[in-house]
Amino acid sequence: MRVLIRGAGVAGLTLAHELRARAIHVEIAETAARAGGGASWFAGGMLAPWCERESAPDTVLTLGRTAADWWDATLPGHVIRKGTLVVAPPRDTGELSRFAARTCAFDWLDADEITALEPDLAGRFRKALFFRDEAHLDPRRAIAALHDRLQAIGVRFHFGAAPDFPDAGFDRVVDCTGSCAIGQAAKLRGVRGEMLMLETPEVRLSRPVRLLHPRIPLYIVPRGDRRFMVGATMIESDDPGPISARSLMELLNAAYALHPAFSEARVIETGAGVRPAYPDNLPRFEIDGSTIRVNGFYRHGFLLAPSIAREVAAHLSGDWRGDIGQMPVGAASALHVPERVNAIPLQTGANR
């Protein structure tokens, strides 16, 4: 079988890896000059299914809990397993209880325990939630490494390709073009995520920290070399333009609330990515004639792409037995059954 994948973001690359693992010939056509130039470039890279469960269906937890293992096995050395710390300003401590009620697999920490984990936060927070089984990675390094690995195992890339790159000679085409498919895939919309990168020698963090801020929930992910990715907004818009002044101020204010030393940090990068999302904010794959569309990862690209890639690869290799009746108890109710007859819902089968 010969498969053409359109799009070299995290969805396309993880699918290519799963297809090559099944000895399927894969080529990738990407309109940009490199891999991961879309929303993947601005991602936080948090492999945090328990934290995401706070505002997402159970499906995100079910599908995402194996993501760290997949990335670790595929790109050894890229996954950092130090958990996630969730804090709130003293006046908003009640937000921690609300957050805790909507998720699981965490420990309550007091001020001393927070200091033991992150000494630079000493004296700033009285309580925190610690999700010790979560992990993170640097999305840009991971994308580059996955690109190199795919080339090494025989995947051919066509960068700078035309959107209608010819598919003659391929048995199947898989569209993984993310937000570029808005307007083509039914009900797909854009959610704008703005971020910035700070650099300061005055703050040290060893794991992602989420601040439950009343106006804009914030996460800060250490990137090494005293750099910190700060994100992210969630604005219903498919505008890919530069970060707005309001978003920049709010992200900086929230970073300052986490640690005042961020006020002296250098802003070395700002950016915005458009996350593709369906009404239920869950990814799906759909058969549209001879094309399979894989899209709708919302803010969960690195978290859910490995699971969806396995599903699509199983479908293409004939192993997939999609049937909503096979889903474990609890999973089916969390999923939308797409209205289109030829749309395939996510499966949470026995292979998970």
Side-chain angles (χ1 to χ4, degrees):
M1 177 182 287
R2 292 170 58 85
V3 174
L4 174 65
I5 297 175
R6 300 190 188 278
V10 65
L13 298 182
T14 52
L15 175 58
H17 188 274
E18 289 301 306
L19 292 174
R20 283 302 297 147
R22 290 165 170 79
I24 294 175
H25 177 89
V26 181
E27 296 188 26
I28 298 179
E30 168 59 54
T31 56
R34 56 173 170 76
S40 301
W41 193 251
F42 302 106
M46 293 179 293
L47 307 174
W50 288 275
C51 280
E52 289 300 313
R53 176 64 186 88
E54 182 268 341
S55 59
D58 274 337
T59 309
V60 171
L61 174 57
T62 303
L63 299 182
R65 63 198 315 163
T66 60
D69 292 339
W70 189 93
W71 286 105
D72 220 1
T74 305
L75 301 176
H78 281 258
V79 175
I80 302 170
R81 297 176 183 266
K82 291 192 174 181
T84 302
L85 190 64
V86 182
V87 299
R91 66 179 181 278
D92 300 314
T93 301
E95 288 295 304
L96 286 173
S97 297
R98 184 196 59 80
F99 193 99
R102 296 179 60 85
T103 185
C104 60
F106 56 83
D107 296 318
W108 281 100
L109 303 185
D110 61 22
D112 290 340
E113 291 169 319
I114 296 170
T115 300
L117 281 181
E118 298 291 354
D120 279 16
L121 298 184
R124 300 202 52 75
F125 303 98
R126 292 196 295 264
K127 292 182 177 179
L129 301 173
F130 180 48
F131 295 79
R132 66 178 65 251
D133 294 327
E134 296 191 335
H136 70 284
L137 51 69
D138 183 330
R140 298 177 183 181
R141 289 184 60 239
I143 286 288
L146 188 52
H147 164 257
D148 292 347
R149 177 174 172 80
L150 291 172
Q151 277 195 317
I153 60 177
V155 175
R156 184 179 179 188
F157 285 83
H158 304 273
F159 289 115
D164 59 349
F165 184 85
D167 57 14
F170 292 96
D171 299 292
R172 303 302 297 266
V173 177
V174 184
D175 187 308
C176 296
T177 55
S179 62
C180 293
I182 294 174
Q184 302 172 29
K187 298 184 178 180
L188 191 69
R189 74 187 199 283
V191 179
R192 176 177 162 89
E194 298 158 303
M195 54 74 70
L196 53 91
M197 195 78 75
L198 301 179
E199 182 180 76
T200 174
E202 303 300 325
V203 182
R204 290 167 297 177
L205 298 174
S206 58
R207 56 183 53 77
V209 178
R210 296 182 182 226
L211 176 70
L212 303 184
H213 192 273
R215 289 196 310 279
I216 179 169
L218 170 88
Y219 59 77
I220 295 184
V221 186
R223 288 283 189 254
D225 297 328
R226 301 300 175 92
R227 296 185 175 189
F228 303 87
M229 190 271 197
V230 182
T233 59
M234 292 184 289
I235 301 171
E236 292 289 333
S237 168
D238 57 8
D239 174 13
I243 189 172
S244 70
R246 175 177 178 173
S247 295
L248 179 61
M249 288 189 292
E250 290 194 334
L251 288 172
L252 288 173
N253 283 338
Y256 177 80
L258 182 72
H259 198 298
F262 278 121
S263 63
E264 301 297 328
R266 294 195 295 178
V267 181
I268 60 174
E269 180 185 345
T270 62
V274 176
R275 305 146 167 161
Y278 289 109
D280 57 5
N281 293 331
L282 291 173
R284 65 180 62 159
F285 69 98
E286 300 174 314
I287 300 174
D288 185 2
S290 61
T291 297
I292 295 176
R293 295 187 184 278
V294 180
N295 217 318
F297 285 88
Y298 185 44
R299 51 182 281 172
H300 303 127
F302 283 81
L303 181 63
L304 300 188
S307 286
I308 304 307
R310 285 194 292 262
E311 294 289 358
V312 177
H315 171 75
L316 288 172
S317 60
D319 296 334
W320 190 79
R321 296 182 294 277
D323 182 346
I324 197 168
Q326 297 175 354
M327 294 177 186
V329 175
S333 61
L335 298 174
H336 273 276
V337 180
E339 296 174 358
R340 299 171 62 178
V341 174
N342 57 354
I344 298 174
L346 305 180
Q347 184 191 23
T348 53
N351 58 333
R352 298 193 182 290

